[in-house]
Amino acid sequence: MNRRDIFEDVAAILHPLPRPTRPGDEHDDGFQAAAAAAFDAQQQTAENLRLSWEHGDQDPLIGALNTARRAKEQAEEQIRQLVAYGREFVQPRPYTLGDLANAAGMSISGTRTVYDHQDVDAVAETTGAKPREWRAQAAADDRAAK
């Protein structure tokens, strides 16, 4: 019975090789370059996972899951801030909830509630932009009430 190499398997999941979408794609220079890059990334990642395991730092699967979770959390934060930007900073009229919901893969009601004052403040700090007047006043009122 053959044992699977967890390091190579996790690396293959993290950096899948591209698959041709049409006959002949595998002969295209762009496809070959993408396949070579993915293969190199797999090899490098497998080696890094092995070294980490050998030095007692991290289980390869648990480490990959932790990294994926952090990337997911970062992506969720970016979505919140992008929606906040589209609704609170774009002048003279904000993006519609429908357009933002469609782009974010969310419902309209989910898009309406996905961000809060902290996200608006983070966007303002990052961009130097000022939110629309009504939102800025509501945030000031909330802070004064606390």
Side-chain angles (χ1 to χ4, degrees), residues 82-121:
L82 289 166
V83 170
Y85 178 79
R87 291 296 295 167
E88 305 301 336
F89 292 85
V90 175
Q91 302 285 338
R93 290 194 311 247
Y95 280 78
T96 67
L97 288 169
D99 287 344
L100 294 171
N102 187 41
M106 301 172 71
S107 67
I108 290 175
S109 62
T111 303
R112 179 181 290 118
T113 61
V114 73
Y115 66 93
D116 59 21
H117 292 297
Q118 289 177 330
D119 297 308
V120 173
D121 291 344

Side-chain angles (χ1 to χ4, degrees), residues 71-82:
K72 176 183 168 187
E73 290 167 353
Q74 183 179 14
E76 289 169 347
E77 180 179 358
Q78 287 176 337
I79 287 170
R80 287 192 315 272
Q81 289 181 7
L82 289 166

Side-chain angles (χ1 to χ4, degrees), residues 7-136:
F7 307 104
E8 290 180 12
D9 287 348
V10 169
I13 292 168
L14 295 175
H15 305 284
L17 295 175
R19 297 175 190 224
T21 56
R22 296 178 306 252
D25 276 356
E26 62 276 2
H27 303 294
D28 179 70
D29 288 341
F31 179 84
Q32 289 179 358
F39 180 77
D40 290 345
Q42 281 183 8
Q43 297 303 303
Q44 185 63 50
T45 297
E47 182 61 24
N48 290 341
L49 291 171
R50 261 190 206 87
L51 289 172
S52 185
W53 175 258
E54 289 170 3
H55 294 296
D57 295 337
Q58 195 168 56
D59 177 278
L61 181 60
I62 299 303
L65 283 168
N66 280 326
T67 300
R69 178 183 47 82
R70 284 191 302 275
K72 176 183 168 187
E73 290 167 353
Q74 183 179 14
E76 289 169 347
E77 180 179 358
Q78 287 176 337
I79 287 170
R80 287 192 315 272
Q81 289 181 7
L82 289 166
V83 170
Y85 178 79
R87 291 296 295 167
E88 305 301 336
F89 292 85
V90 175
Q91 302 285 338
R93 290 194 311 247
Y95 280 78
T96 67
L97 288 169
D99 287 344
L100 294 171
N102 187 41
M106 301 172 71
S107 67
I108 290 175
S109 62
T111 303
R112 179 181 290 118
T113 61
V114 73
Y115 66 93
D116 59 21
H117 292 297
Q118 289 177 330
D119 297 308
V120 173
D121 291 344
V123 170
E125 184 177 322
T126 300
T127 65
K130 302 250 185 278
R132 294 185 299 137
E133 283 301 315
W134 72 270
R135 181 60 149 176

